[in-house]
Amino acid sequence: MPEAKTRPTDENARDFIEAINHPVRRADGLLLLDMMQEASGHPPVMWGPSIVGFGTYHYRYPTGREGDAAPIGFSPRKSSLSLYGLTADPASGDLLARLGKHRVGAACLYVNTLADVDLGILRQLTEAGYRHVMSEIHQP
């Protein structure tokens, strides 16, 4: 089996966020650092060069492929914030309907800026996503 490309690194996640040139993207990243750390109880860890993850879970697909990933995380991309794990809970649809301006991809939630969304709802999505991944998807 090929090894996963996205793995934890020793890079400092806060330094990564603080080095972002765009002031709004940097401020949003710092807010997400704190929110996701509180929701998960885990410190931020860089997964690859641009994803900040919180905690670790083990997955195993029916094909036999398995590995480790962060249950929740984000990447401050140039075009938008990519938020990972927040749509994992099947009940997330109700919260997404009240979130504000966003897009949903296969496994990501995309927001242009945190000013476009309700931060209380985003916090609920973060907490629910983390709980769901760790209770329903994690396979120790």
Side-chain angles (χ1 to χ4, degrees), residues 16-110:
F16 167 72
I17 298 300
E18 288 176 349
I20 296 171
N21 287 330
H22 193 281
V24 172
R25 190 68 78 225
R26 183 175 53 252
D28 285 352
L30 290 170
L31 193 149
L32 287 169
L33 275 178
D34 293 338
M35 180 186 293
M36 290 188 171
Q37 183 168 354
E38 287 176 20
S40 69
H42 294 279
V45 172
M46 291 301 301
W47 285 72
S50 63
I51 297 174
V52 181
F54 300 82
T56 303
Y57 77 99
H58 189 76
Y59 62 86
R60 190 174 301 115
Y61 295 139
T63 61
R65 180 176 172 89
E66 61 183 288
D68 297 306
I72 59 172
F74 71 96
S75 183
R77 309 263 185 223
K78 193 173 254 187
S79 61
S80 64
L81 294 165
S82 299
L83 309 172
Y84 305 103
L86 278 58
T87 60
D89 185 346
S92 66
D94 291 339
L95 291 171
L96 289 170
R98 300 182 324 205
L99 179 62
K101 186 178 173 184
H102 71 278
R103 293 175 289 121
V104 177
C108 294
L109 172 64
Y110 301 99

